[in-house]
Amino acid sequence: MRFLPKDDAQLQKLLDAGLELIDHPMDYRIIRDGDWYHDPDVPEGNITWQYAVVPVDFPFPSDVRYERLDDCYIAEHDPATKGSGIDWDAVEREAFRLSGNENLLSPLSKAGESGSPKGRIAIVDPALDDEPEGVKGVKVFVNSFVKFAVTYTDDEGYYTIARRFNSEPRYRLVFQNVNGFKQGINLVLIPASVSTLGKHPAEGFDCEIDFNSDRKLFTRCVVNNAGFDYCAECEASGKTLPLPPKDLRIWDIPVLDCSFELMMHHGTIVDTFEPISSLLGEYTPLIKLLHPDIYLGLHETSSYSEIYARALHVFAKAGHFAQVGKSWWSKLVEYTALSLLGSGLVSPYGAPDDDDSGYCEAANMYAYYCQSILFKRRYKDSTTVFGTSEWFSPQILMYLDERGLGLEKIAPVFTADVVDLEGLKNKLLSYYPSFKSTINEAFARYGR
């Protein structure tokens, strides 16, 4: 089948129906791998044809244009078996020939040589270790002609595909993490970017990514690992460190100096700012679908550790959003927008005497502190404290951390009732009276 969604809402319907979509015809011979293909008959700016295999009883959305290209039978039998006297491997190879797709078969493919793909997707971080680490919890998509299979890597980057292939399939990484966050765009506004890894043996292959690999692939893998690690820290803390909301959407923007955690996909502004929500009306869900939650600024970042640090910051902000809610976060977003306009697009932080500056202070003190602590947990020798050059003071939280009031105790304090520095101090004192003198010392030394 092929589908032609007219907008992102229709595309989302297909994804919600569980379809695995690719943007090119399944029988195309790919000369040079790329991250996307756009049908030349579809105008630029429109979503291109999306190709999929669907079951015979698939309930087609009534408002999405589709074309039935062909009927196919995909045997559930293991091609390497010969149950009931049938050589399913030979049956599959013959089907490729009869359908005119013999070129997709491996030249050496013989009975018994089919395989289930497995291997490892790994990345090198020279600042941590010479040994590569896994790309964690990322989606691996494998297909050959009309046979599709997907899985996720484990926390060491290993993957195993249950379905067997008789030909050399194509491998792709889809940057949709097992923890629920998605990153990037592929020319059209699809929820998760795709990096193609090429055609490889049916039994699988190992892929090692480093600084010299394709830049988008490298960056996406680092951001993926930062998000996975952040979520793992949340789980290890018993969720006292708040998890980001499910279906978090991140766009990696290499030309931005700073990041913007607007959380629009989750309804900030469009749901909470009445003039906009009234104006949009029935189009509000579409606007939320079109916009990401986070624009991750990656200007002048090149190394694994630099990208990782910036990604930690935005995941900490996303966790804070989940804890304080849309109304609180909308105050922060409005303040950020006014600060940018007032500074000639130079700074999103404004000044300490601006209206609602407490929202900015609370959010960024927490995010920079969380970033510093989690960065040090990875890079044990790091002495970096992020955000100390701004008017707010994450040093207050670092001071408390160094004296026994750690991240897992500080994070739960940042709830919706903390909207300024005084409120933060009072909340800390009420939660941890035994640390009264330490808390007072921290605020006296670094407070405004």
Side-chain angles (χ1 to χ4, degrees), residues 209-298:
I209 299 153
D210 61 23
F211 178 81
N212 297 310
S213 300
D214 173 78
R215 192 64 196 166
K216 289 181 181 178
L217 173 62
F218 178 75
T219 298
R220 292 166 182 169
C221 289
V222 177
V223 174
N224 173 84
N225 277 8
F228 186 96
D229 290 349
Y230 177 84
C231 292
E233 291 284 354
C234 295
E235 295 292 349
S237 75
K239 298 181 183 175
T240 57
L241 182 64
L243 280 164
K246 291 295 184 183
D247 197 27
L248 183 72
R249 304 285 180 90
I250 304 167
W251 288 3
D252 306 331
I253 311 293
V255 297
L256 277 181
D257 285 311
C258 58
S259 299
F260 298 100
E261 304 86 2
L262 305 182
M263 307 306 294
M264 287 186 69
H265 178 68
H266 277 82
T268 298
I269 301 296
V270 293
D271 282 346
T272 58
F273 189 50
E274 199 279 331
I276 290 180
S277 57
S278 295
L279 178 65
L280 294 174
E282 63 183 293
Y283 295 101
T284 296
L286 178 59
I287 297 301
K288 286 159 56 174
L289 183 66
L290 286 170
H291 286 274
D293 293 304
I294 294 170
Y295 297 89
L296 175 56
L298 294 170

XYZ file of all heavy atoms in Angstrom, residues 209-298:
714
model
N 29.877 4.111 15.543
C 29.735 5.518 15.170
C 30.737 6.336 15.982
O 30.933 6.088 17.172
C 28.290 5.989 15.447
C 27.297 5.170 14.618
C 28.122 7.479 15.175
C 25.931 5.054 15.226
N 31.375 7.296 15.317
C 32.295 8.169 16.042
C 32.212 9.580 15.481
O 31.371 9.881 14.634
C 33.727 7.632 15.998
C 34.298 7.522 14.590
O 33.806 8.230 13.670
O 35.245 6.742 14.393
N 33.098 10.438 15.963
C 33.102 11.853 15.599
C 33.160 12.062 14.085
O 32.633 13.046 13.554
C 34.291 12.541 16.273
C 34.439 13.992 15.937
C 33.684 14.955 16.577
C 35.347 14.399 14.962
C 33.812 16.299 16.256
C 35.495 15.731 14.638
C 34.723 16.690 15.291
N 33.794 11.137 13.369
C 33.970 11.281 11.924
C 32.822 10.687 11.116
O 32.836 10.764 9.887
C 35.292 10.623 11.497
C 36.497 11.303 12.122
O 36.629 12.524 12.060
N 37.371 10.512 12.745
N 31.848 10.114 11.783
C 30.678 9.568 11.088
C 29.791 10.708 10.587
O 30.046 11.888 10.869
C 29.885 8.668 12.032
O 30.657 7.587 12.500
N 28.758 10.354 9.849
C 27.783 11.358 9.413
C 27.355 12.206 10.605
O 27.010 11.675 11.666
C 26.570 10.657 8.807
C 25.449 11.622 8.478
O 25.536 12.306 7.456
O 24.483 11.678 9.276
N 27.379 13.544 10.422
C 27.181 14.447 11.559
C 25.802 14.291 12.193
O 25.645 14.299 13.422
C 27.387 15.889 11.108
C 27.486 16.882 12.266
C 28.698 16.572 13.094
N 28.650 17.217 14.398
C 29.444 16.904 15.395
N 30.330 15.938 15.257
N 29.371 17.523 16.550
N 24.774 14.167 11.375
C 23.431 14.012 11.918
C 23.313 12.717 12.706
O 22.714 12.685 13.793
C 22.386 14.045 10.798
C 22.193 15.408 10.166
C 21.127 15.345 9.092
C 20.920 16.707 8.426
N 19.900 16.635 7.349
N 23.869 11.654 12.160
C 23.815 10.358 12.842
C 24.526 10.439 14.194
O 23.997 9.984 15.219
C 24.449 9.281 11.966
C 24.636 7.898 12.592
C 23.297 7.300 12.977
C 25.378 6.970 11.624
N 25.708 11.015 14.211
C 26.476 11.141 15.452
C 25.699 11.947 16.495
O 25.545 11.526 17.647
C 27.820 11.797 15.155
C 28.681 12.036 16.366
C 29.350 10.986 16.978
C 28.821 13.312 16.893
C 30.148 11.203 18.098
C 29.610 13.540 18.009
C 30.282 12.482 18.613
N 25.192 13.102 16.075
C 24.471 13.976 17.006
C 23.229 13.292 17.550
O 22.958 13.325 18.765
C 24.081 15.288 16.306
O 25.268 15.964 15.890
C 23.285 16.194 17.228
N 22.459 12.668 16.679
C 21.233 12.001 17.119
C 21.527 10.896 18.124
O 20.780 10.703 19.096
C 20.489 11.428 15.912
C 19.912 12.479 14.968
C 19.508 11.866 13.643
N 18.992 12.863 12.714
C 18.768 12.647 11.417
N 19.015 11.456 10.908
N 18.302 13.606 10.650
N 22.611 10.162 17.898
C 22.953 9.075 18.819
C 23.360 9.607 20.185
O 23.020 9.014 21.217
C 24.073 8.219 18.221
S 23.554 7.198 16.819
N 24.095 10.727 20.218
C 24.502 11.306 21.501
C 23.274 11.808 22.266
O 23.114 11.541 23.468
C 25.504 12.454 21.298
C 25.847 13.096 22.644
C 26.776 11.960 20.624
N 22.381 12.530 21.579
C 21.164 13.030 22.230
C 20.321 11.859 22.713
O 19.758 11.885 23.819
C 20.368 13.932 21.268
C 19.032 14.339 21.890
C 21.176 15.171 20.894
N 20.238 10.815 21.901
C 19.506 9.609 22.293
C 20.053 9.043 23.595
O 19.307 8.709 24.520
C 19.623 8.573 21.178
C 19.042 7.228 21.566
O 17.853 6.988 21.455
N 19.892 6.319 22.035
N 21.379 8.932 23.689
C 21.975 8.357 24.892
C 21.803 9.256 26.111
O 21.599 8.771 27.226
C 23.455 8.065 24.648
C 23.672 6.737 23.952
O 22.714 6.094 23.511
N 24.910 6.326 23.827
N 21.881 10.571 25.901
C 21.656 11.496 27.018
C 20.243 11.327 27.580
O 20.038 11.289 28.798
C 21.889 12.930 26.570
N 19.265 11.213 26.679
C 17.881 11.022 27.121
C 17.682 9.695 27.812
O 16.978 9.601 28.833
N 18.282 8.651 27.253
C 18.166 7.325 27.883
C 18.783 7.346 29.276
O 18.202 6.824 30.233
C 18.856 6.281 27.005
C 18.686 4.865 27.483
C 17.687 4.057 26.961
C 19.517 4.334 28.463
C 17.522 2.743 27.406
C 19.364 3.034 28.918
C 18.363 2.241 28.382
N 19.973 7.945 29.392
C 20.650 8.008 30.693
C 19.843 8.825 31.700
O 19.758 8.466 32.879
C 22.046 8.618 30.532
C 23.007 7.698 29.797
O 22.674 6.517 29.591
O 24.097 8.181 29.419
N 19.260 9.949 31.230
C 18.446 10.763 32.136
C 17.266 9.942 32.656
O 16.981 9.943 33.864
C 17.947 12.027 31.435
C 17.050 12.849 32.334
C 17.584 13.742 33.248
C 15.665 12.698 32.295
C 16.768 14.462 34.112
C 14.840 13.410 33.148
C 15.401 14.295 34.050
O 14.586 14.991 34.906
N 16.585 9.244 31.767
C 15.429 8.424 32.191
C 15.866 7.306 33.137
O 15.145 6.961 34.084
C 14.717 7.852 30.969
S 13.889 9.098 29.940
N 17.050 6.732 32.897
C 17.563 5.689 33.790
C 17.827 6.251 35.185
O 17.565 5.583 36.200
C 18.846 5.086 33.212
N 18.337 7.484 35.251
C 18.559 8.128 36.551
C 17.225 8.364 37.267
O 17.134 8.217 38.491
C 19.295 9.453 36.363
C 20.738 9.320 35.903
C 21.680 8.895 37.013
O 21.245 8.807 38.173
O 22.868 8.653 36.709
N 16.212 8.734 36.503
C 14.877 8.925 37.098
C 14.355 7.634 37.704
O 13.848 7.615 38.836
C 13.899 9.436 36.041
S 14.264 11.078 35.390
N 14.484 6.555 36.957
C 14.009 5.260 37.453
C 14.814 4.822 38.669
O 14.253 4.302 39.647
C 14.108 4.210 36.341
C 13.202 4.471 35.138
C 11.721 4.317 35.446
O 11.378 3.797 36.539
O 10.899 4.728 34.609
N 16.118 5.031 38.630
C 16.974 4.627 39.752
C 16.667 5.419 41.015
O 16.863 4.920 42.135
C 18.447 4.797 39.371
N 16.175 6.650 40.848
C 15.850 7.492 42.004
C 14.481 7.177 42.596
O 14.064 7.815 43.570
C 15.882 8.970 41.589
O 14.735 9.309 40.813
N 13.791 6.203 42.008
C 12.415 5.955 42.420
C 11.490 7.051 41.940
O 10.430 7.287 42.508
N 11.913 7.715 40.880
C 11.185 8.812 40.230
C 11.062 10.062 41.104
O 10.198 10.903 40.875
C 9.807 8.350 39.733
C 9.901 7.243 38.684
C 8.547 6.794 38.170
C 8.692 5.637 37.191
N 7.394 5.096 36.752
N 11.939 10.168 42.121
C 12.034 11.466 42.802
C 12.640 12.495 41.850
O 12.367 13.684 41.954
C 12.894 11.359 44.075
O 14.189 10.856 43.741
C 12.231 10.444 45.091
N 13.476 12.025 40.932
C 13.904 12.837 39.794
C 12.842 12.640 38.724
O 12.621 11.523 38.264
C 15.274 12.366 39.302
C 15.919 13.133 38.148
C 16.224 14.564 38.547
C 17.185 12.422 37.677
N 12.134 13.710 38.333
C 10.943 13.513 37.493
C 11.265 13.119 36.053
O 12.155 13.686 35.422
C 10.253 14.881 37.538
C 11.353 15.855 37.829
C 12.318 15.121 38.725
N 10.537 12.131 35.566
C 10.651 11.708 34.166
C 10.061 12.762 33.237
O 9.104 13.456 33.594
C 9.899 10.404 33.962
C 10.595 9.113 34.383
C 9.568 7.995 34.487
C 11.696 8.735 33.396
N 10.592 12.885 32.014
C 9.945 13.733 31.019
C 8.574 13.163 30.653
O 8.321 11.972 30.860
C 10.892 13.668 29.809
C 12.165 13.093 30.322
C 11.795 12.240 31.489
N 7.683 13.971 30.108
C 6.396 13.434 29.661
C 6.582 12.468 28.494
O 7.554 12.569 27.742
C 5.620 14.688 29.224
C 6.680 15.677 28.862
C 7.823 15.410 29.803
N 5.678 11.537 28.370
C 5.722 10.617 27.232
C 5.507 11.382 25.923
O 4.862 12.418 25.886
C 4.648 9.535 27.376
C 4.918 8.554 28.502
C 6.175 7.733 28.240
C 6.394 6.675 29.307
N 7.652 5.920 29.079
N 6.048 10.829 24.857
C 5.934 11.424 23.522
C 6.588 12.805 23.466
O 6.111 13.712 22.798
C 4.468 11.505 23.072
C 4.354 11.731 21.558
O 5.273 11.328 20.834
O 3.343 12.319 21.128
N 7.694 12.970 24.178
C 8.466 14.203 24.111
C 9.065 14.336 22.711
O 9.629 13.384 22.175
C 9.574 14.168 25.156
C 10.449 15.409 25.290
C 9.670 16.546 25.948
C 11.714 15.086 26.108
N 8.939 15.516 22.105
C 9.451 15.759 20.756
C 10.607 16.761 20.804
O 10.453 17.858 21.338
C 8.349 16.295 19.848
C 7.101 15.417 19.759
C 7.325 14.191 18.898
N 6.117 13.378 18.827
C 5.173 13.525 17.903
N 5.273 14.486 16.996
N 4.114 12.740 17.895
N 11.738 16.383 20.230
C 12.934 17.220 20.238
C 13.412 17.423 18.806
O 13.513 16.458 18.041
C 14.065 16.552 21.046
C 13.598 16.233 22.469
C 15.315 17.425 21.084
C 14.536 15.314 23.215
N 13.699 18.665 18.467
C 14.352 18.968 17.194
C 15.771 19.416 17.480
O 16.001 20.338 18.272
C 13.600 20.074 16.442
C 12.285 19.640 15.878
C 11.685 18.427 15.999
C 11.397 20.438 15.089
N 10.472 18.413 15.344
C 10.278 19.645 14.769
C 11.443 21.762 14.620
C 9.208 20.115 14.006
C 10.379 22.236 13.863
C 9.281 21.419 13.548
N 16.745 18.785 16.832
C 18.150 19.165 16.960
C 18.439 20.276 15.951
O 18.349 20.056 14.740
C 19.051 17.964 16.679
C 18.712 16.749 17.548
O 18.220 16.957 18.673
O 18.944 15.617 17.100
N 18.814 21.448 16.448
C 19.001 22.625 15.581
C 20.449 23.088 15.671
O 20.850 23.743 16.654
C 18.052 23.777 15.985
C 16.612 23.273 16.142
C 18.140 24.896 14.953
C 15.955 22.811 14.859
N 21.280 22.796 14.669
C 22.705 23.123 14.762
C 23.026 24.608 14.694
O 24.130 25.013 15.061
C 23.321 22.371 13.566
C 22.196 22.116 12.632
C 20.964 21.995 13.463
N 22.084 25.455 14.255
C 22.384 26.888 14.124
C 21.958 27.695 15.348
O 22.250 28.890 15.429
C 21.714 27.481 12.862
C 22.274 26.815 11.608
C 20.195 27.352 12.917
N 21.282 27.062 16.315
C 20.836 27.780 17.502
C 21.912 27.769 18.581
O 22.504 26.728 18.872
C 19.569 27.139 18.086
C 18.223 27.514 17.471
C 17.106 26.789 18.223
C 17.982 29.007 17.498
N 22.135 28.952 19.191
C 23.100 29.043 20.287
C 22.533 28.495 21.588
O 23.265 27.923 22.401
C 23.532 30.498 20.502
C 24.495 30.970 19.432
O 25.475 30.251 19.166
O 24.271 32.036 18.851
N 21.258 28.720 21.814
C 20.645 28.247 23.055
C 19.410 27.418 22.721
O 18.895 27.466 21.601
C 20.283 29.414 23.967
S 19.170 30.621 23.242
N 18.963 26.668 23.703
C 17.809 25.790 23.501
C 16.539 26.464 23.987
O 16.570 27.353 24.841
C 18.019 24.476 24.266
O 19.170 23.802 23.806
N 15.408 26.021 23.434
C 14.107 26.542 23.840
C 13.197 25.365 24.173
O 12.865 24.567 23.305
C 13.497 27.407 22.735
C 14.316 28.619 22.412
C 15.154 28.632 21.313
C 14.278 29.740 23.229
C 15.937 29.736 21.028
C 15.054 30.846 22.948
C 15.889 30.854 21.849
N 12.835 25.274 25.432
C 11.995 24.177 25.918
C 10.559 24.690 26.015
O 10.031 24.910 27.108
C 12.508 23.683 27.276
C 13.966 23.242 27.260
C 14.957 24.398 27.475
O 14.493 25.550 27.670
O 16.170 24.151 27.452
N 9.912 24.890 24.875
C 8.592 25.514 24.825
C 7.473 24.554 25.220
O 6.403 24.988 25.633
C 8.322 26.064 23.429
C 9.371 27.049 22.873
C 8.951 27.543 21.498
C 9.577 28.213 23.825
N 7.685 23.264 25.019
C 6.710 22.219 25.375
C 5.369 22.420 24.664
O 4.303 22.092 25.205
C 6.513 22.161 26.891
C 7.805 22.009 27.689
S 8.851 20.605 27.190
C 7.832 19.218 27.635
N 5.418 22.916 23.428
C 4.179 23.200 22.693
C 3.466 21.934 22.250
O 2.240 21.902 22.157
C 4.466 24.114 21.510
C 4.754 25.542 21.924
S 4.921 26.677 20.527
C 3.233 26.728 19.922
N 4.211 20.887 21.958
C 3.556 19.625 21.593
C 2.691 19.118 22.738
O 1.706 18.414 22.517
C 4.605 18.587 21.207
C 4.036 17.252 20.862
N 3.269 17.043 19.737
C 4.102 16.047 21.494
C 2.890 15.780 19.696
N 3.377 15.154 20.745
N 3.058 19.485 23.962
C 2.294 19.083 25.141
C 1.335 20.168 25.621
O 0.812 20.085 26.739
C 3.235 18.665 26.266
C 3.687 17.244 26.128
N 4.731 16.865 25.309
C 3.211 16.082 26.672
C 4.886 15.561 25.364
N 3.975 15.056 26.187
N 1.098 21.189 24.788
C -0.002 22.102 25.058
C 0.338 23.424 25.695
O -0.567 24.236 25.920
N 1.620 23.669 26.006
C 1.968 24.970 26.566
C 1.636 26.068 25.564
O 1.868 25.922 24.372
C 3.473 25.015 26.917
O 3.730 24.025 27.904
C 3.866 26.362 27.458
N 1.107 27.156 26.023
C 0.683 28.321 25.244
C -0.623 28.048 24.494
O -1.625 28.722 24.714
C 1.763 28.813 24.258
C 3.043 29.188 25.036
C 1.267 29.997 23.455
C 2.862 30.331 25.983
N -0.643 27.028 23.607
C -1.850 26.814 22.797
C -3.040 26.373 23.644
O -4.187 26.629 23.290
C -1.598 25.797 21.654
C -0.635 26.367 20.633
C -1.091 24.474 22.186
N -2.785 25.704 24.763
C -3.871 25.312 25.669
C -4.091 26.329 26.783
O -5.208 26.464 27.287
C -3.560 23.957 26.319
C -3.815 22.783 25.386
O -4.480 22.981 24.352
O -3.348 21.673 25.701
N -3.018 27.033 27.165
C -3.081 27.817 28.397
C -3.209 29.314 28.182
O -3.625 30.031 29.090
C -1.831 27.550 29.246
O -0.664 27.883 28.477
C -1.749 26.098 29.667
N -2.856 29.818 26.995
C -2.937 31.254 26.741
C -4.232 31.523 25.988
O -4.358 31.227 24.803
C -1.717 31.717 25.949
C -1.599 33.210 25.824
C -1.697 34.038 26.932
C -1.387 33.795 24.588
C -1.587 35.418 26.812
C -1.273 35.174 24.452
C -1.375 35.980 25.575
N -5.226 32.065 26.668
C -6.600 32.130 26.157
C -6.730 32.810 24.795
O -7.437 32.286 23.910
C -7.498 32.813 27.199
C -8.989 32.539 26.992
C -9.605 33.431 25.925
O -9.111 34.566 25.747
O -10.561 32.979 25.260
N -6.078 33.957 24.549
C -6.231 34.568 23.228
C -5.816 33.641 22.084
O -6.459 33.607 21.032
C -5.321 35.803 23.306
C -5.275 36.133 24.757
C -5.291 34.814 25.452
N -4.737 32.865 22.300
C -4.277 31.953 21.252
C -5.185 30.743 21.152
O -5.572 30.327 20.047
C -2.823 31.526 21.516
C -1.886 32.714 21.295
C -2.425 30.361 20.617
C -0.431 32.413 21.527
N -5.558 30.156 22.287
C -6.403 28.957 22.246
C -7.767 29.269 21.632
O -8.335 28.457 20.896
C -6.572 28.364 23.647
O -7.107 29.307 24.543
N -8.293 30.467 21.901
C -9.583 30.852 21.313
C -9.455 31.064 19.814
O -10.340 30.685 19.037
C -10.097 32.139 21.979
O -10.373 31.916 23.336
N -8.335 31.675 19.406
C -8.119 31.929 17.982
C -7.957 30.629 17.203
O -8.515 30.447 16.131
C -6.876 32.807 17.810
C -6.465 33.135 16.367
C -7.532 33.997 15.690
C -5.126 33.868 16.353
N -7.214 29.685 17.777
C -6.946 28.427 17.078
C -8.165 27.518 17.052
O -8.411 26.833 16.056
C -5.779 27.708 17.745
C -4.417 28.398 17.643
C -3.388 27.638 18.468
C -3.966 28.489 16.198
N -8.916 27.496 18.153
C -10.117 26.664 18.207
C -9.836 25.224 17.850
O -8.987 24.560 18.437
N -10.537 24.730 16.815
C -10.420 23.330 16.427
C -9.054 22.981 15.840
O -8.710 21.805 15.679
C -11.502 22.977 15.401
C -11.378 23.756 14.096
C -12.506 23.430 13.126
O -12.548 22.282 12.648
O -13.335 24.319 12.868
N -8.236 24.004 15.526
C -6.911 23.746 14.962
C -5.841 23.551 16.038
O -4.680 23.289 15.722
C -6.490 24.889 14.030
C -7.372 25.011 12.811
C -8.374 25.971 12.745
C -7.227 24.132 11.740
C -9.206 26.063 11.638
C -8.050 24.215 10.627
C -9.042 25.189 10.580
O -9.849 25.282 9.487
N -6.220 23.681 17.301
C -5.253 23.534 18.383
C -4.511 22.191 18.335
O -3.281 22.161 18.453
C -5.945 23.712 19.750
O -6.447 25.048 19.835
C -4.972 23.468 20.899
N -5.195 21.041 18.151
C -4.455 19.775 18.085
C -3.447 19.741 16.945
O -2.369 19.150 17.086
C -5.571 18.734 17.872
C -6.798 19.378 18.419
C -6.658 20.836 18.105
N -3.771 20.374 15.813
C -2.847 20.381 14.681
C -1.598 21.182 15.012
O -0.475 20.774 14.688
C -3.538 20.968 13.446
C -2.676 21.101 12.174
C -2.143 19.736 11.753
C -3.475 21.733 11.051
N -1.763 22.332 15.674
C -0.615 23.156 16.042
C 0.285 22.390 17.006
O 1.514 22.400 16.888
C -1.074 24.486 16.670
C -1.867 25.307 15.638
C 0.113 25.282 17.184
C -1.104 25.653 14.384
N -0.311 21.687 17.956
C 0.470 20.894 18.898
C 1.231 19.787 18.174
O 2.368 19.450 18.537
C -0.441 20.305 19.974
C -0.901 21.353 20.982
C -2.152 20.987 21.737
C -2.128 19.726 22.472
N -3.340 19.519 23.293
N 0.623 19.231 17.140
C 1.273 18.179 16.377
C 2.441 18.716 15.566
O 3.494 18.089 15.448
C 0.244 17.521 15.446
C 0.726 16.330 14.614
C 1.057 15.166 15.526
C -0.339 15.932 13.605
N 2.287 19.933 15.024
C 3.311 20.508 14.161
C 4.557 20.935 14.923
O 5.657 20.915 14.380
C 2.743 21.726 13.413
C 1.781 21.446 12.267
C 1.118 22.734 11.805
C 2.503 20.788 11.102
N 4.391 21.347 16.168
C 5.508 21.914 16.906
C 6.126 20.889 17.855
O 5.432 20.077 18.451
C 5.051 23.137 17.702
C 4.818 24.340 16.848
N 5.824 25.209 16.515
C 3.707 24.808 16.244
C 5.341 26.174 15.748
N 4.058 25.947 15.560
N 7.448 20.952 18.006
C 8.088 20.079 18.989
C 7.929 20.646 20.390
O 7.394 21.743 20.577
C 9.558 20.123 18.552
C 9.732 21.518 18.030
C 8.419 21.829 17.323
N 8.420 19.913 21.361
C 8.496 20.426 22.723
C 9.780 21.215 22.941
O 9.800 22.216 23.649
C 8.451 19.275 23.728
C 7.107 18.570 23.737
O 6.091 19.254 23.952
O 7.065 17.351 23.516
N 10.848 20.745 22.302
C 12.175 21.306 22.560
C 12.909 21.570 21.255
O 12.981 20.695 20.390
C 13.005 20.340 23.431
C 12.391 20.219 24.825
C 14.467 20.790 23.533
C 12.988 19.112 25.666
N 13.437 22.771 21.141
C 14.409 23.091 20.102
C 15.778 23.032 20.774
O 16.129 23.904 21.576
C 14.173 24.491 19.530
C 12.839 24.669 18.829
C 11.704 25.063 19.534
C 12.722 24.450 17.457
C 10.483 25.236 18.893
C 11.503 24.612 16.812
C 10.389 25.015 17.537
O 9.183 25.180 16.890
N 16.549 22.016 20.459
C 17.842 21.816 21.104
C 18.927 22.551 20.323
O 19.292 22.158 19.211
C 18.161 20.315 21.189
C 19.541 19.921 21.725
C 19.779 20.510 23.117
C 19.688 18.409 21.750
N 19.441 23.639 20.897
C 20.475 24.426 20.240
C 21.834 23.770 20.349
O 22.309 23.479 21.452
N 22.475 23.532 19.199
C 23.744 22.794 19.173
C 24.847 23.566 18.459
O 25.846 22.975 18.032
C 23.529 21.437 18.497
C 22.618 20.461 19.249
C 22.280 19.260 18.384
C 23.263 20.011 20.558
